[in-house]
Amino acid sequence: MLNELVSMLPKSADGVLIVSETNRRYFTSFTSSDGILLVTRKGSVFLTDSRYIEEAQNTVKCCEVEELKKLSEQLPELCRKFGVRVLMAESERLTVAQLGAYRRLLKGITVTTVGTDKIIDTLRMVKKDFEIESVIKAQRIAEKALDHALGMIRVGVTERELALTLDFFMLKNGAQAVSFETIAISGANTSKPHGVPTDKKIERGDFVTMDFGAVVNGYHSDMTRTVAVGEVSDEQVRVYETVLEAQLKALDILREGVKCSDADACARIYINEKGYGEYFRHSLGHGVGLEIHEKPNLSPKSEQVLRAGNIVTVEPGIYIPGKFGVRIEDMATITKFDCVNLTKFTKNLAIL
Ligand SMILES: [Mn+2]
């Protein structure tokens, strides 16, 4: 993977400094809270401190491994050794303080953030087989958790109890972590797309929305289902069917070469036609991988084009303030000809 990265560097750059945890992990397959990866045209070194050095020396195969003792001496020395004059650095995942420190450390070397993220994200967006397999494993755990949680949804159960049930089941059944703070909301709370679980008890006639995921090998899953409790109104059914149809339409057009903004528009136009356009106020989806939100974004403003190997969520929603909301979210892998839905859980409206 380091070869791929080097081959994408602009002529003006001699190397890249990779500091962020997820990008370090992506290129070295090594997980550590601290370390830096220096990738240059003439050689690459992964530096990590005494806590990790033994494991790193045993497992990191993509480049040399060196114990991080005094960065202020080691990094300039390595840059001299590899003839680095212009070094690229990350932008979104690097703090202003970190960038300033590296610039002070590397006097005489131009440290630029221009274009770095774009190169790295272009690589990260196209998932390798083991990355897709990890996401699928995480997704299967999440689905089992949902199956389990549906069995305990009834009048009187609180949103927090439901969220904890999902989390506990995922962690007990192979998830190394949950993907993000689980959303389990009910009734009028479902009109908030990212509502926080409260002590509110589930009531008859409520919609219950659950948005959650598991992490396996560092890779995240993400899914949302909305279910009804006891009974549903005609309006609830109408909104649910509209969201579902919008999602199916979008999934149907996904394939390599489709503009991300067109995928978003596909769902948005349908929801507009049904009269709920003002209630779909977030983008259609996002990439998923080592981070829960990655490129590409399926949004109206996105200028990206889908490529085979992308993993994206497709999650339209309609949220009517003070009343209720519905979101249905699947993850899909893009292929040359279509997409493969990684989410196997049913989307028929369940009335529990
Ligand atoms: Mn999502």
Side-chain angles (χ1 to χ4, degrees), residues 8-55:
M8 289 172 77
L9 296 182
K11 280 203 181 79
S12 57
D14 304 303
V16 197
L17 185 67
I18 295 172
V19 176
S20 73
E21 202 169 325
T22 47
N23 282 338
R24 262 192 289 120
R25 179 174 184 153
Y26 178 76
F27 287 107
T28 62
S29 302
F30 189 74
T31 315
S32 57
S33 63
D34 191 40
I36 58 170
L37 174 64
L38 177 67
V39 180
T40 81
R41 297 183 190 277
K42 293 183 182 164
S44 302
V45 181
F46 176 56
L47 297 130
T48 191
D49 67 47
S50 58
R51 293 170 297 169
Y52 300 107
I53 190 68
E54 186 183 351
E55 201 190 338

Side-chain angles (χ1 to χ4, degrees), residues 211 222 286 293 313 315 329:
D211 184 352
D222 195 1
H286 54 87
H293 293 127
T313 68
E315 48 179 311
E329 174 180 28

Side-chain angles (χ1 to χ4, degrees), residues 125 246 249-251 253-270 272 280 282-287 295-307 310 312-314 334:
M125 269 191 283
K249 281 182 183 299
L251 283 165
I253 68 158
L254 295 188
R255 54 170 286 173
E256 179 160 273
V258 169
K259 282 188 198 163
C260 292
S261 56
D262 286 346
D264 179 279
C266 175
R268 202 167 298 280
I269 287 167
Y270 179 76
N272 262 325
F280 176 26
H282 55 70
S283 51
L284 180 67
H286 54 87
K295 302 278 177 3
N297 291 317
L298 305 188
S299 80
K301 285 182 191 161
S302 176
E303 287 171 1
Q304 286 154 325
V305 173
L306 291 172
R307 285 189 55 197
N310 293 159
V312 293
T313 68
V314 182
I334 305 303

Side-chain angles (χ1 to χ4, degrees), residues 191-219:
S191 72
K192 300 162 202 149
H194 274 193
V196 176
T198 68
D199 290 321
K200 176 196 170 295
K201 289 179 172 151
I202 292 169
E203 293 164 54
R204 188 174 170 83
D206 275 0
F207 262 151
V208 177
T209 296
M210 292 156 284
D211 184 352
F212 59 100
V215 182
V216 169
N217 300 331
Y219 287 83

